[in-house]
Structure formats: structure tokens, C-alpha cells
Amino acid sequence: MADWDEVVAAVGLALGGDREEGLRVLTACWEATEGSDHAQRCVIAHYLADLQPTLDDEVGWDRTALTEHAEVADADLAPVGITSAAAMAPSLHLNLGDGYLRQGRVADAEAQLAVGLQVLDVLPTDGYGTMVRGGLERLRSRVQEARNR
């Protein structure tokens, strides 16, 4: 198992604009996990996706994050201050749906959008919840636009 402090520091690097170092450190964190470290693997994969050089790699990591999330309980994320594992789901579906849409996989994007919209009620009413809700609404518009082409 990777140390949560290392994971949080790596995410900070990635979000702080140092994509190359963030990718290196997040990859090292991933390699330090085991198959049973679902919470860490979910968080790491979620951020690794955004650092990938290709869309296919990004979508692959987004799928991995969602797969790992299925095995995550609230208590598993408590060390990083996330009180609801379920509240991560809409963001994970948003990211995967966005990737699918950019790949031209409209039906797959629409399926992820539908699931993301079904679980909106678990989002907090804070800035994070507002950001994810807005992202899902923008994805809905883009999916409808792609359907109408």
C-alpha cells in the first residue's frame, strides 16, 4: 500500500501544474499499491487519467478508477478527508463519459452520462458538487449535439 500522504502530495503536484513530476510520482504511488488497495487505486487512477499523453490512455485510467471505485467504502477514503465514497461516482462517470465522447463513442458516453445523472443526489451542495453538476450538464449538451449530427 502506498502512503496516503504520498498520494496526496503527488495529486498536489499534478494539480499544481507540474504534470511531468505529478505523473512520475503518481505512477510510483500506483506501483506501490496492491490489488486490494481499492481506495488508493481509485484516487490515483482518477488523477493519472488527466496526465496521460493519449486519449486512449486517459480513458483506460478513467475506466480503472471507476472499476476500483466499486470496491471503495466511505471509511476507506477517510484518511484523505473524503467522507462519502458515493460522492465520487458522478465525477468518475463524468470523466469516463467525456473521454468516450471525445473518442466518438457517443452511445458509451450517453450511458456514462445517464449513470452520473442518476447519482447526482449524493453530491454535496458545495463548490465540488456544483462543479460536477455543471460538468454533467455540459456533457449532456455535448452528447445531444453529437446525437444530432
Side-chain angles (χ1 to χ4, degrees), residues 25-95:
V25 178
L26 278 170
T27 300
C29 287
W30 176 267
E31 291 169 355
T33 65
E34 297 178 11
S36 61
D37 298 332
H38 301 293
Q40 287 185 339
R41 291 168 69 91
C42 175
V43 170
I44 293 166
H46 181 58
Y47 288 99
L48 273 173
D50 294 335
L51 301 174
Q52 296 307 303
T54 70
L55 179 55
D56 288 345
D57 290 341
E58 177 183 340
V59 168
W61 281 110
D62 281 332
R63 270 195 309 263
T64 297
L66 197 54
T67 299
E68 293 293 339
H69 181 264
E71 303 297 326
V72 177
D74 291 346
D76 299 335
L77 295 169
V80 289
I82 299 173
T83 58
S84 170
M88 282 187 74
S91 177
L92 298 173
H93 290 291
L94 167 62
N95 289 356

Side-chain angles (χ1 to χ4, degrees), residues 66 93-94 96-98 100-101 105-118 136 139 143 147:
L66 197 54
H93 290 291
L94 167 62
L96 186 54
D98 174 68
Y100 283 156
L101 186 60
R105 298 169 59 182
V106 178
D108 291 330
E110 195 168 39
Q112 289 302 314
L113 173 63
V115 176
L117 291 172
Q118 287 174 357
L136 285 165
L139 180 59
V143 165
R147 279 275 179 225

